[in-house]
Amino acid sequence: MKDFLDAYSWINIHYLLQGLWITVAVSVVSIIGSYILGSILGIIRYVNIKVVSPVIGLFIDIIRNLPLLLIIFFTYFGLPNLGFRPSSVWATIFAMTIFESTMIAEIVRSGIVAVDPGQMEGARANGLTYGQALYHIILPQAMKKMIPALVSQFISLIKDTSLATIIVLPDLMHNAQIVYGQNSTYILPMFLMIAIMYFIVCYALSVLSRSLERRMG
């Protein structure tokens, strides 16, 4: 029991919180980037632009069927061969953004498809252009349908940042490994604390999404 409590010294907790900050920061930037890019890709695929949409669709299918860890490896170890040398933080953000944007693109496209086609026809009949109808009529309705899937994907993104420990991202998982690497009796208390911290962050996002759903509903 003493070793269990010793694992939660202020020095160790502070070190874990530093890792949690990196995890949250990387997640927030990746979420924003993947949402913007994924929305653009999803809309392009939906509107079916000749040549462009099929190419986008192929890109999405390829990335979605690759392991995220492989993309992380490529950004960190492969990009330097092309003249780019990102830090572990930016390599993770780039990899997560590219991978998650393809997932979000499909969520966005599916959300738009789920809207009654009569909504578009009615908007066009009232004088709106295709772009105006899509932006003002279709997307707001699709967003309500997308929220649960988007939040689920964002929660997965937060948890998947732990994969970047392999490229020495100083995140929560990495810092916990450093702590229990110095004392093997700290393994269980560290895993317990990691679980609590991940739960708090992910649950907070779930609560926020439910609040957003109620407001939009």
Side-chain angles (χ1 to χ4, degrees):
M1 178 60 75
K2 183 178 184 300
D3 287 337
F4 198 96
L5 295 177
D6 287 344
Y8 297 133
S9 67
W10 169 241
I11 293 177
N12 290 343
I13 295 298
H14 183 258
Y15 193 54
L16 289 181
L17 289 174
Q18 288 179 328
L20 179 63
W21 163 246
I22 295 296
T23 294
V24 171
V26 167
S27 298
V28 168
V29 175
S30 299
I31 285 173
I32 294 172
S34 60
Y35 177 72
I36 294 172
L37 180 58
S39 296
I40 294 172
L41 295 177
I43 291 172
I44 291 175
R45 193 169 188 187
Y46 169 76
V47 298
N48 198 23
I49 302 173
K50 188 178 294 186
V51 179
V52 177
S53 292
V55 170
I56 293 295
L58 178 61
F59 169 78
I60 290 173
D61 289 338
I62 291 173
I63 299 299
R64 287 179 68 220
N65 289 285
L66 293 177
L68 174 56
L69 189 58
L70 177 62
I71 299 175
I72 292 174
F73 274 145
F74 175 78
T75 57
Y76 191 68
F77 296 111
L79 289 182
N81 294 324
L82 301 177
F84 302 97
R85 298 185 180 278
S87 65
S88 60
V89 171
W90 285 108
T92 303
I93 290 173
F94 181 78
M96 299 291 287
T97 299
I98 294 298
F99 182 78
E100 294 297 332
S101 66
T102 60
M103 301 295 182
I104 292 171
E106 285 302 288
I107 293 173
V108 170
R109 185 185 66 83
S110 299
I112 296 174
V113 169
V115 176
D116 186 350
Q119 296 291 318
M120 175 63 78
E121 296 170 4
R124 296 299 301 278
N126 281 287
L128 272 67
T129 65
Y130 185 85
Q132 290 173 331
L134 187 64
Y135 182 78
H136 294 289
I137 306 298
I138 305 302
L139 285 178
Q141 296 181 66
M143 182 57 66
K144 296 178 184 178
K145 303 176 184 294
M146 286 186 253
I147 288 177
L150 286 174
V151 172
S152 178
Q153 195 60 47
F154 291 152
I155 289 175
S156 294
L157 184 155
I158 293 171
K159 293 183 289 187
D160 285 345
T161 56
S162 61
L163 292 174
T165 300
I166 200 71
I167 60 171
V168 202
L169 176 73
D171 69 334
L172 177 58
M173 184 65 74
H174 171 270
N175 286 10
Q177 288 177 345
I178 297 296
V179 173
Y180 69 67
Q182 298 173 357
N183 189 332
S184 60
T185 62
Y186 291 173
I187 293 179
L188 181 58
M190 284 298 103
F191 281 152
L192 179 60
M193 183 56 66
I194 290 172
I196 292 172
M197 289 183 173
Y198 272 119
F199 173 78
I200 291 173
V201 173
C202 294
Y203 185 71
L205 183 58
S206 298
V207 171
L208 180 63
S209 73
R210 287 197 290 268
S211 175
L212 183 60
E213 278 187 89
R214 286 195 295 269
R215 290 185 180 183
M216 293 186 69

